[in-house]
């Protein structure tokens, strides 16, 4: 193996890819579109092949990279002029929460589970779903949260963290045990709120010592 040749090809392709990405523009990883991700993965694979295949001409690696760059820039420019194309490529925002209520159909469509949603809400400092006016999954997959300007009716001044008691019809026994309650107490509370069957409950959480119940749709 000609080590100097490998080093030279690596440095050269590094410079080429650096300028290609530089021209393509600055974007955070979380903001990459599907098109960007496909192009980046393909360029990375082509670069590796170009480095390992040191017997071939360097142009064999550079040409596919430049071709992908041209394709990406052409589609990106076209999407600026054609809204429908931008919608096809990048997708569109989806409302998961509206006025403190969860859009279960949207969650199923996006294959978004409650653990993901609650984790992201906690990361953004949101303690109660009832505090959220809009929860939007952006085209990039990032969750944007807009809380009520004034506290929602169920929100306390210093609310406690959200505690899931039922998720998709299943009782979270550890959480229930953690607050010193039994399944009998939970069943009785559900009946009091007009939910006699656990299997019909999509989510039941304890927020500010009050139950928040979402029925399956």
């Amino acid at each position: 193996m000609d080590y100097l040749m490998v080093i030279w090809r690596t440095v050269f392709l590094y410079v080429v890819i650096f300028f290609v990405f530089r021209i393509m523009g600055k974007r955070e990883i979380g903001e990459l579109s599907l098109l960007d991700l496909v192009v980046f993965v393909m360029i990375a694979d082509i670069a590796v092949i170009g480095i390992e295949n040191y017997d071939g001409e360097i142009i064999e690696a550079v040409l596919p990279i430049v071709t992908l760059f041209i394709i990406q820039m052409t589609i990106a420019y076209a999407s600026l002029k054609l809204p429908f194309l931008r919608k096809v490529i990048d997708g569109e925002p989806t409302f998961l929460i509206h006025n403190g209520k969860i859009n279960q159909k949207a969650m199923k469509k996006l294959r978004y589970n409650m653990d993901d949603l609650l984790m992201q809400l906690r990361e953004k400092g949101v303690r109660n779903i009832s505090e959220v006016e809009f929860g939007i999954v952006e085209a990039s997959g990032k969750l944007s949260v807009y809380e009520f300007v004034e506290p929602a009716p169920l929100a306390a001044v210093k609310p406690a963290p959200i505690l899931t008691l039922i998720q998709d019809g299943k009782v979270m026994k550890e959480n229930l045990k953690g607050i010193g309650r039994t399944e009998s107490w939970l069943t009785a509370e559900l009946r009091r709120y007009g939910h006699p069957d656990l299997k019909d409950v999509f989510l039941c959480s304890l927020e500010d010592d009050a139950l928040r119940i979402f029925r399956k749709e």
Side-chain angles (χ1 to χ4, degrees):
M1 178 182 292
D2 189 338
Y3 294 104
L4 290 178
M5 178 62 71
V6 172
I7 293 173
W8 179 84
R9 295 173 75 95
T10 301
V11 172
F12 180 79
L13 287 174
Y14 170 82
V15 173
V16 171
I17 294 173
F18 173 81
F19 281 106
V20 166
F21 286 178
R22 181 69 168 169
I23 297 172
M24 286 171 61
K26 298 179 180 178
R27 299 187 71 178
E28 295 181 7
I29 296 299
E31 296 177 349
L32 294 179
S33 67
L34 181 59
L35 175 63
D36 294 330
L37 186 59
V38 171
V39 169
F40 287 3
V41 170
M42 290 186 68
I43 287 178
D45 287 342
I46 292 170
V48 171
I49 295 173
I51 292 171
E52 292 180 344
N53 185 26
Y54 54 90
D55 291 332
E57 295 292 336
I58 192 69
I59 190 64
E60 295 177 2
V62 174
L63 185 58
I65 292 175
V66 173
T67 302
L68 287 172
F69 165 71
I70 294 173
I71 292 173
Q72 199 276 347
M73 293 299 291
T74 301
I75 296 178
Y77 180 78
S79 66
L80 293 175
K81 302 295 183 181
L82 304 172
F84 78 90
L85 181 60
R86 182 167 62 249
K87 181 179 178 180
V88 171
I89 295 173
D90 294 334
E92 56 184 348
T94 302
F95 283 81
L96 284 190
I97 303 175
H98 183 211
N99 289 335
K101 296 182 179 180
I102 300 173
N103 186 338
Q104 298 177 38
K105 292 182 179 179
M107 289 189 66
K108 290 180 180 179
K109 183 178 179 181
L110 296 177
R111 294 180 293 280
Y112 222 85
N113 60 56
M114 280 305 306
D115 291 332
D116 291 335
L117 179 59
L118 294 176
M119 178 186 70
Q120 293 194 58
L121 289 175
R122 289 193 296 269
E123 288 177 347
K124 295 180 180 298
V126 177
R127 294 175 180 268
N128 293 336
I129 296 175
S130 59
E131 295 177 355
V132 180
E133 184 174 11
F134 297 107
I136 307 170
V137 177
E138 306 292 352
S140 63
K142 180 180 178 181
L143 179 67
S144 297
V145 177
Y146 299 88
E147 299 181 62
F148 287 98
V149 177
E150 296 295 332
L154 295 178
V157 177
K158 293 182 179 179
I162 301 171
L163 187 65
T164 305
L165 299 183
I166 299 176
Q167 182 174 318
D168 200 18
K170 296 181 180 179
V171 177
M172 304 289 102
K173 296 182 179 180
E174 289 298 321
N175 292 346
L176 196 60
K177 183 179 178 182
I179 60 173
R181 299 291 186 174
T182 63
E183 290 190 43
S184 299
W185 169 84
L186 181 59
T187 301
E189 287 295 299
L190 289 174
R191 287 175 179 170
R192 188 164 68 88
Y193 280 92
H195 302 276
D197 194 346
L198 288 174
K199 295 180 180 180
D200 291 334
V201 178
F202 176 69
L203 173 69
C204 175
S205 61
L206 185 66
E207 304 179 8
D208 302 329
D209 295 325
L211 294 181
R212 286 276 288 168
I213 303 170
F214 299 87
R215 185 187 294 273
K216 286 184 180 179
E217 296 178 354

